[in-house]
Amino acid sequence: MTVRELCERARQVMDPVVFDYVAGGADEERVLAGNERAFGRYALLPRVLSGGEDRDTRVDLPGAPGASPVFVAPTAFHRLVHRDGERATARAAAAEGAVLVTGVAATTAVRDVVAAARGAAAEPAVWFQLYPHPRKEVTAALARRAEDAGCTALVVTVDSPVFGRHGRDLRNGFTDLPPGYAAENMRDLPGAAPGALTAIPMSAAPGWPEFAEIVAGTPLPVLVKGVLHPDDARLAVEHGAAGVIVSNHGGRQCDTVPAAVDCLPAVARAVKARVPVLVDGGVRRGGDAAVALALGASAVGVGRPVMWGLAAGGEAGVRQVLAALRDEYAHTLALCGGRRNTDLTPGMVVRRDGTW
């Protein structure tokens, strides 16, 4: 099944309100649609007589050597779509060699997510995503929970000084989790209501000094997520970021920003290969991943497709999504005359009409 077919299967089995929560975006959802549409503007100009049979698509990422070029982007509340929730996602990602970025708004505590991943692979790569909290001691406590659980990196999301406005959720009256569900990582921390959709308090005015404090306060590598402007990418590296994730939050925050992939080339040029650059938003096929890597990404993240796979088939559904995207990417790489990820270069990216 294609990712789009999985989406339709998921729609059939999911509560319509929950489906809207997962599938929806901010305001008029222009950015949500634009993320996918943007990939349609790009094409790859293959090279010939340059390939080989020894293709290797693995990539070294912070705390994740030899990982798949497709990673699981942070998404909230997996148990809303399948009873095994984040545990199933963790086992699937580990089995496929993919980095899992488990969210602070997970319905399974980070220690249990890592334990599930270790049941599928000896050394899984689980990163922990968090938002800068208004109280620095809470941010530090969340980082310690991730460290103690065995996470291999932190991902600080910086594009959310306030929550995005989600029209679908407002129309559906979806403001609280059903009884028995909670943002488990926020248990016993001050200033949180783990049962609310907006259970994660966010600092309204985080700055680069606060980010640098997070970096200095943990032994783990820290990536910054939500970067679109190249100047912010340079600042991230200067303040100790171990990686930059180009993202517009999957179209769930500001509905007036560009597609993430359109911002990728400028960010990659600004970073100048000092740290890995990753991207998420709108990736629906392996060819999208190939375009992103040609434009300067080291890996691509997928969020909604993972949730659709989880809803449609649990752990096996997530594995299907991650394996399909990885294998489609490898196939595209071969057809473009490449053997390694680095064989895809910006000079191979053209417009659909063949010009640039």
Side-chain angles (χ1 to χ4, degrees), residues 3-351:
V3 168
R4 294 191 183 282
E5 289 168 337
L6 270 177
C7 173
E8 290 308 310
R9 177 71 63 84
R11 189 194 300 270
Q12 295 169 13
V13 301
M14 289 173 68
D15 181 314
V17 172
V18 174
F19 181 87
D20 273 353
Y21 171 75
V22 173
D27 296 320
E28 297 177 2
E29 300 187 346
R30 291 178 295 179
V31 175
L32 172 63
N35 276 342
E36 289 190 47
R37 219 170 27 239
F39 281 102
R41 295 196 294 269
Y42 297 100
L44 289 171
L45 198 60
R47 302 301 303 272
V48 296
L49 301 179
S50 61
E53 296 182 357
D54 61 337
R55 285 184 298 280
D56 184 357
T57 62
R58 294 173 297 176
V59 58
D60 291 332
L61 300 172
S68 167
V70 179
F71 69 93
V72 179
T75 46
F77 310 136
H78 288 205
R79 288 185 59 220
L80 290 181
V81 307
H82 190 276
R83 62 183 179 276
D84 291 338
E86 288 86 1
R87 289 182 176 87
T89 306
R91 291 191 295 265
E96 295 300 330
V99 172
L100 166 64
V101 188
T102 189
V104 67
T107 42
T108 304
V110 62
R111 63 179 181 276
D112 297 323
V113 173
V114 175
R118 287 174 173 167
E123 297 183 2
V126 179
W127 297 351
F128 183 71
Q129 175 264 342
L130 57 82
Y131 299 93
H133 193 278
R135 299 174 62 168
K136 293 181 181 180
E137 65 270 22
V138 175
T139 304
L142 287 166
R144 284 194 299 272
R145 289 184 178 185
E147 296 163 14
D148 294 342
C151 290
T152 59
L154 298 179
V155 176
V156 179
T157 297
V158 295
D159 61 3
S160 304
V162 295
F163 278 99
R165 296 178 297 184
H166 301 163
R168 298 197 205 192
D169 296 340
L170 294 172
R171 288 191 295 270
N172 291 330
F174 190 44
T175 58
D176 294 296
L177 295 173
Y181 295 88
E184 294 295 340
N185 292 310
M186 298 304 295
R187 292 278 188 189
D188 306 318
L189 292 177
L197 285 187
T198 55
I200 316 300
M202 300 173 179
S203 175
W208 288 112
E210 286 76 17
F211 176 79
E213 287 182 18
I214 296 173
V215 172
T218 179
L220 299 178
V222 180
L223 295 86
V224 60
K225 181 178 185 295
V227 172
L228 296 175
H229 198 293
D231 288 347
D232 286 333
R234 281 188 283 267
L235 286 167
V237 175
E238 292 170 6
H239 286 85
V244 173
I245 304 179
V246 180
S247 174
N248 56 32
H249 217 106
R252 296 176 70 87
Q253 284 298 102
C254 183
D255 201 31
T256 59
V257 298
V261 70
D262 288 338
C263 298
L264 172 61
V267 169
R269 289 192 296 269
V271 168
K272 297 179 180 178
R274 289 172 288 177
V275 300
V277 174
L278 298 80
V279 66
D280 67 25
V283 174
R284 299 293 181 265
R285 56 188 67 80
D288 297 341
V291 166
L293 267 68
L295 291 175
S298 295
V300 299
V302 288
R304 291 180 181 89
V306 166
M307 297 293 275
W308 297 330
L310 180 64
E315 178 183 343
V318 177
R319 288 196 66 172
Q320 181 179 354
V321 168
L322 296 175
L325 290 172
R326 182 197 62 226
D327 294 346
E328 288 171 11
Y329 163 71
H331 190 68
T332 303
L333 176 66
L335 290 173
C336 288
R339 294 185 296 169
R340 305 288 185 271
N341 299 330
T342 52
D343 292 336
L344 296 171
T345 64
M348 297 171 66
V349 182
V350 296
R351 293 190 187 277

